[in-house]
Amino acid sequence: MSRASGPAAAVGAPLVVRGARLPAVDGGFSGPVDLALAGGRVRSVAPAGRAAAVTDGARTLDADGRLALPGFLDAHVHGAAAVLDDDVQRAMLRQGVTGIVVGQDGVGPAPSPPDAAYDAHRWAGAYFAAIDGEHPTFPGGSVAELLATYDGTTRVNVGYLAPHGTIRYAVLGPEARAATPAELDRMVALLGAALDDGALGMSTGLEYVPAASADEDELVALARVVAARGLPHVSHMRGYEDRAGPAFAELVRIAHAAGVATHVSHYHGPADELLGYVDDARAAGLDVTFDSYPYLRGCSILSMVSLPTWLPIADPDATVAALRDPAVLDRLHREHFPGLVDLWPRVTMAAVPTGAAEDLAWTEGLALPDVAARLGLSPADAAVRLLVATRLRASCVFAQPPTNSPESVRALLRHPAHVGGSDAIYAPLGGGGRPHPRGWGAFARFLAEHVRTLGDWTWHDAATHLSDGPARRFGLADRGTLAPGAVADVALVDPDRVQDEATYERPRVPASGVDDVLVAGVPVLVDGALTDATPGRPLRPGRRPGSGPGRAVHDREAEQRSTA
């Protein structure tokens, strides 16, 4: 149990974390140290009892020998709307997560300029309703206006990637074709403005529409805009598993042509093959990193999993109309659904909102073949019925192919190019649905299973992969470390007790073992409960991004030597 004393915390108020330990380079722990925090930053790290004089009269927080780790940065999460919900903030903080990067997979609420040819904000909200939910205070507009909604309104810091699909939709709408030169110029201008507003880079979702229609010329032109700012191109590739080779090769060609740093989202599959691609690219001088999560099941919208891109999936109304057309259904049954026979048994419904046509919320948590049996339909026809009833707003959890094995998960996260990402989906909010448990447990699972149980990482490695590495990837100055001068985002972790508690059957259970968390030196989680403080801020790039966690080791070693 932690013990805090002194006056109520305020942003910038002095605070001393007493008796903490730090992860050492050799895999062990330092002796007890005191962290003196003031002005939202770490002022000193000194042997216990020797905190700097600047902290005279400060509040104190007793660490009682727990590990002090820099707050974790979730490199891939669907939380642009959800992060404003207290329950979601609790889920993040109970894992030690103090910052998130949203705008993933090329779809997000901004930029959506009012003078654009198409309403990108409305489109993104409808298309990704089952993934991102609805932002409660952002009606559309610029990235700067979106980031302002996180300024002092949440306990967690929020960074945003400029989403290529949203930008493309604002210019071309759902058109499934290459952009004209004039349209590409408009996309370049929108991307540049988004980066000026503080976006951390550009995300692409090349399996989603309308991005699936983008050719390499378009992607290279936009990647050059990002590269000129020293920011990364973050990509949901055009395919995974058996399509990972060609998909990764496309990113390599874009990186070579544009000179852009490249980050692959939720990398998964056969590790030997996947890491070979990464190693070859890095050996060729490219700056390539990736994130992954420690589970063998994924989660997405049912339309992406079950429908071909020749349907107008970016337009739910048009797609629903198409799915009611006997000719379209006949084509799907002839050309597409036979290739999904092995997929259907691996699909479990996650969120199935009540639709105008039919209420199928009872299907949440059921495997698709069981849903089909209850409806008296084939799995393919059951999927169509779910999509029509929800206007494509249904989401699902799906088991990945056997090539994504526990051994592959472990090999990927041990690689120096890896950073942690949950790919968390919190929609629907308010406790409904059967979401993937990764939003409540991914980072705790990294610590409990891959540090304490399996030894894939030391605690020092965990800080590198989950804090310093992602901070470097996105150019976040003074984050990801507890060195003097760093922003004072601190998680106190009980190394013997930290544990993910969420399961596929009970996915919304918060993790245990992280009971006290500070953001900018302000307690936001105390004894496992949220405080009223909301010191979270938008995350904007403040230095040229590094190449991820590999480079961070030497800097951390210097830090440990200076505080040991």
Side-chain angles (χ1 to χ4, degrees):
M1 180 72 69
S2 61
R3 298 184 300 277
S5 64
V11 175
L15 184 147
V16 178
V17 179
R18 297 197 181 280
R21 293 180 293 168
L22 300 175
V25 176
D26 63 6
F29 306 138
S30 73
V33 300
D34 292 347
L35 285 75
L37 317 176
R41 294 184 177 270
V42 179
R43 296 305 180 189
S44 70
V45 181
R50 302 184 196 173
V54 70
T55 60
D56 289 347
R59 286 184 90 220
T60 61
L61 173 63
D62 289 337
D64 294 330
R66 287 173 291 172
L67 278 176
L69 296 176
F72 302 144
L73 178 65
D74 191 336
H76 187 110
V77 58
H78 295 279
V83 72
L84 296 170
D85 182 89
D86 281 355
D87 288 341
V88 172
Q89 293 172 40
R90 182 184 295 108
M92 294 173 178
L93 293 167
R94 289 282 293 269
Q95 301 175 72
V97 173
T98 59
I100 63 173
V101 181
V102 299
Q104 301 286 351
D105 298 332
V107 181
S112 49
D115 61 345
Y118 295 90
D119 187 343
H121 176 261
R122 182 179 179 184
W123 162 77
Y127 184 28
F128 263 31
I131 292 181
D132 284 344
E134 183 178 353
H135 193 294
T137 62
F138 180 68
S142 68
V143 168
E145 290 168 318
L146 174 64
L147 290 177
T149 68
Y150 308 122
D151 197 353
T153 61
T154 175
R155 300 169 183 85
V156 178
N157 304 304
V158 182
Y160 186 74
L161 295 166
H164 162 249
T166 299
I167 290 171
R168 190 177 214 272
Y169 191 90
V171 177
L172 281 83
E175 294 288 338
R177 59 171 175 81
T180 67
E183 289 166 340
L184 184 53
D185 286 345
R186 180 61 177 148
M187 282 191 275
V188 165
L190 286 174
L191 175 58
L195 299 175
D196 289 342
D197 284 346
L200 298 176
M202 176 183 70
S203 74
T204 54
L206 300 178
E207 275 192 306
Y208 294 99
V209 292
S213 299
D215 59 22
E216 281 189 32
D217 288 342
E218 176 180 323
L219 297 173
V220 168
L222 294 169
R224 284 176 174 149
V225 178
V226 179
R229 316 292 181 99
L231 296 170
H233 168 210
V234 178
S235 187
H236 175 127
M237 299 193 301
R238 212 173 286 273
Y240 289 84
E241 298 292 341
D242 58 345
R243 294 181 292 160
F248 193 95
E250 178 184 35
L251 297 187
V252 167
R253 292 192 299 272
I254 293 167
H256 273 300
V260 71
T262 301
H263 181 85
V264 183
S265 296
H266 41 65
Y267 209 35
H268 62 270
D272 289 346
E273 176 187 344
L274 299 186
L275 294 180
Y277 301 147
V278 173
D279 289 338
D280 288 347
R282 286 162 70 97
L286 297 179
D287 182 356
V288 175
T289 54
F290 62 89
D291 61 71
S292 69
Y293 51 80
Y295 296 89
L296 295 177
R297 300 187 200 179
C299 184
S300 189
I301 48 178
L302 181 63
S303 60
M304 194 278 282
V305 172
S306 62
L307 297 180
T309 56
W310 53 258
L311 280 171
I313 302 172
D315 185 338
D317 290 336
T319 300
V320 168
L323 292 176
R324 290 179 170 137
D325 183 337
V328 171
L329 290 174
D330 179 67
R331 181 180 175 188
L332 286 169
H333 280 287
R334 285 185 292 103
E335 298 180 5
H336 183 68
F337 289 150
L340 302 183
V341 171
D342 293 336
L343 170 69
W344 302 131
R346 296 189 278 115
V347 172
T348 299
M349 298 314 301
V352 185
T354 300
E358 185 177 13
D359 184 358
L360 294 172
W362 58 266
T363 65
E364 292 174 347
L366 295 180
L368 188 61
D370 293 335
V371 173
R374 294 194 188 189
L375 292 173
L377 301 171
S378 69
D381 286 327
V384 170
R385 187 155 165 182
L386 286 160
L387 291 168
V388 170
T390 63
R391 292 188 63 254
L392 309 193
R393 291 173 180 250
S395 66
C396 61
V397 172
F398 52 89
Q400 290 160 346
T403 49
N404 187 30
S405 63
E407 293 74 24
S408 288
V409 168
R410 297 179 65 188
L412 287 169
L413 64 84
R414 288 194 297 261
H415 194 277
H418 170 273
V419 302
S422 69
D423 199 7
I425 295 173
Y426 295 100
L429 300 178
R434 190 72 70 84
H436 196 297
R438 60 196 181 190
W440 288 261
F443 279 72
R445 191 178 184 90
F446 278 129
L447 302 180
E449 183 165 351
H450 295 286
V451 178
R452 187 177 63 226
T453 301
L454 297 175
D456 292 318
W457 291 342
T458 66
W459 291 99
H460 176 270
D461 294 333
T464 297
H465 284 261
L466 306 182
S467 301
D468 202 3
R472 287 172 175 271
R473 172 73 290 166
F474 296 108
L476 299 174
D478 306 324
R479 295 184 186 272
T481 174
L482 295 181
V487 175
D489 296 341
V490 186
L492 294 180
V493 178
D494 185 333
D496 298 321
R497 196 169 64 87
V498 63
Q499 185 67 54
D500 57 305
E501 307 286 355
T503 65
Y504 291 105
E505 292 72 31
R506 298 177 65 240
R508 297 178 181 271
V509 181
S512 56
V514 181
D515 294 326
D516 292 272
V517 178
L518 310 173
V519 169
V522 178
V524 292
L525 188 76
V526 173
D527 289 338
L530 297 177
T531 71
D532 291 333
T534 53
R537 294 291 183 268
L539 295 173
R540 294 181 173 89
R543 69 183 181 211
R544 186 176 181 86
S547 58
R551 188 183 301 174
V553 172
H554 304 293
D555 295 342
R556 279 202 166 280
E557 290 173 350
E559 174 192 332
Q560 294 292 338
R561 287 193 294 270
S562 70
T563 57

